[in-house]
Amino acid sequence: IEKYGYSEFKYGNAYWQPIYDEFKELSSKNKALSGNSSLLSATKNEIKSQVQDVLKSLLLLLQANKKSTWQQVARSWGFQKERY
């Protein structure tokens, strides 16, 4: 705006500077929020993988210890699937 001599006009620096400042602030907040979202999603996926590993291990232990009734025991423990 200053380069082309429009800084003193009605829609010069006085008009555009507050809009620019607000945009800059909101843009940085948006970037911070978006970064936190992807970080939380990555954490959720890591935890989900760990939980699935533990569930697999529990089912394998049931299969080893309760050879003929492991499915009924798993259902009584709240398992809804036989594979994870």
Side-chain angles (χ1 to χ4, degrees), residues 27-78:
S27 173
S28 66
K29 285 182 181 179
N30 182 36
K31 185 176 180 181
L33 290 174
S34 297
N36 288 340
S37 171
S38 62
L39 178 64
L40 291 175
S41 178
T43 303
K44 176 201 64 106
N45 290 338
E46 291 174 13
I47 292 172
K48 181 180 177 181
S49 176
Q50 291 174 356
V51 168
Q52 285 179 335
D53 289 343
V54 170
L55 292 175
K56 287 177 195 173
S57 298
L58 280 173
L59 285 175
L60 289 173
L61 283 171
L62 279 177
Q63 289 174 5
N65 292 316
K66 307 281 186 181
K67 293 186 191 317
S68 60
T69 61
W70 74 270
Q71 292 171 329
Q72 293 145 350
V73 174
R75 296 269 185 250
S76 71
W77 286 10

Side-chain angles (χ1 to χ4, degrees), residues 7-26:
S7 60
E8 301 301 321
F9 284 88
K10 179 179 178 182
Y11 294 107
N13 279 349
Y15 178 81
W16 288 107
Q17 192 62 46
I19 294 172
Y20 171 76
D21 293 338
E22 182 182 12
F23 174 80
K24 193 173 175 183
E25 178 185 348
L26 292 175

